[in-house]
Amino acid sequence: MCSSDLVGVGDGQVTAVEAQMRWQHPTQGMIGPGEFIPVAEETGLIAAIGEWALHSACRQARAWRDQNLPLVRVVVSLSQKQFLQESLIQVVREALHRTALEPARLELEVTEEMLIRNPERAARLLAQLKEAGVRVAIGGFGTGYTSLSTLRRLPVDCVKIDRSLVVDLPGNPDAAALTRGVVAMAHSLGLKV
């Protein structure tokens, strides 16, 4: 299942949780990632924040397992700068090791845009993540960044269709046709959607 399958369609069971970051500002209240993540990227703090988020998510997933709660995956989105870090694989392995979380319980989400900057490096990095047992998803799929030939070569488990393609479902026949096409293409490549 893909990270978008947070609740199973057939049985209604929770299958995954997605790590969501918010900043509780002392005077401005809750601030969403759209506001503070760009600042963190500009100031160079995003790597530290991303590493903290990864470790925290793995720790929480392990705590749920230790409490005998149903085993679910935890989904962590990577920033562009995290994805470009040479130490990413090391950071992921360390988070899994320190928390003793099974790698299959971690899903990392990247965007199409991240993959096109250096497709060869992206393919190698994703292959290393897959070798480590981590699931990989492409979020925001269908915005036009990834060529079909690139998608075919990437070792990913699933694609999450971009919200802009599905927001008008089911009432818009064009949106339905595009979505059916993306789903069929991904399934023909052996990917979950």
Side-chain angles (χ1 to χ4, degrees):
M1 283 189 194
C2 190
S3 62
S4 58
D5 291 327
L6 299 174
V7 176
V9 175
D11 59 11
Q13 296 295 310
V14 174
T15 60
V17 294
E18 189 165 321
Q20 295 286 318
M21 196 174 282
R22 303 291 182 266
W23 175 23
Q24 181 63 47
H25 190 277
T27 58
Q28 296 178 22
M30 196 68 70
I31 299 175
E35 290 185 55
F36 71 85
I37 294 294
V39 174
E41 288 179 338
E42 288 172 19
T43 60
L45 294 173
I46 194 65
I49 291 171
E51 190 170 332
W52 174 84
L54 177 64
H55 280 266
S56 296
C58 289
R59 211 172 19 259
Q60 183 61 62
R62 175 59 195 256
W64 287 329
R65 190 189 85 182
D66 291 348
Q67 295 169 16
N68 293 319
L69 295 172
L71 296 177
V72 297
R73 283 184 326 283
V74 62
V75 182
V76 179
S77 297
L78 298 176
S79 74
Q80 175 73 28
K81 292 196 177 186
Q82 278 180 287
F83 190 69
L84 294 174
Q85 280 184 298
E86 291 298 323
S87 63
L88 178 62
I89 297 298
Q90 171 93 17
V91 168
V92 169
R93 287 185 174 141
E94 182 181 319
L96 292 169
H97 176 73
R98 284 189 178 182
T99 60
L101 182 68
E102 300 89 348
R105 297 284 164 222
L106 176 62
E107 181 172 307
L108 297 177
E109 184 176 316
V110 298
T111 64
E112 281 188 275
E113 187 176 4
M114 291 179 195
L115 304 174
I116 63 161
R117 295 193 187 254
N118 187 336
E120 293 78 24
R121 182 186 181 283
R124 283 192 308 275
L125 181 59
L126 295 178
Q128 290 175 321
L129 290 169
K130 296 293 296 164
E131 286 171 19
V134 174
R135 296 177 57 85
V136 178
I138 300 175
F141 186 77
T143 55
Y145 293 109
T146 305
S147 72
L148 298 179
S149 64
T150 300
L151 180 61
R152 181 178 53 91
R153 292 190 312 264
L154 294 173
V156 297
D157 297 293
C158 64
V159 295
K160 291 175 62 177
I161 299 174
D162 189 74
R163 184 180 191 285
S164 66
L165 294 178
V166 297
V167 71
D168 292 331
L169 292 178
N172 183 321
D174 292 338
L178 283 172
T179 302
R180 275 194 303 274
V182 170
V183 169
M185 178 204 57
H187 284 169
S188 70
L189 293 172
L191 302 174
K192 301 284 184 186
V193 181

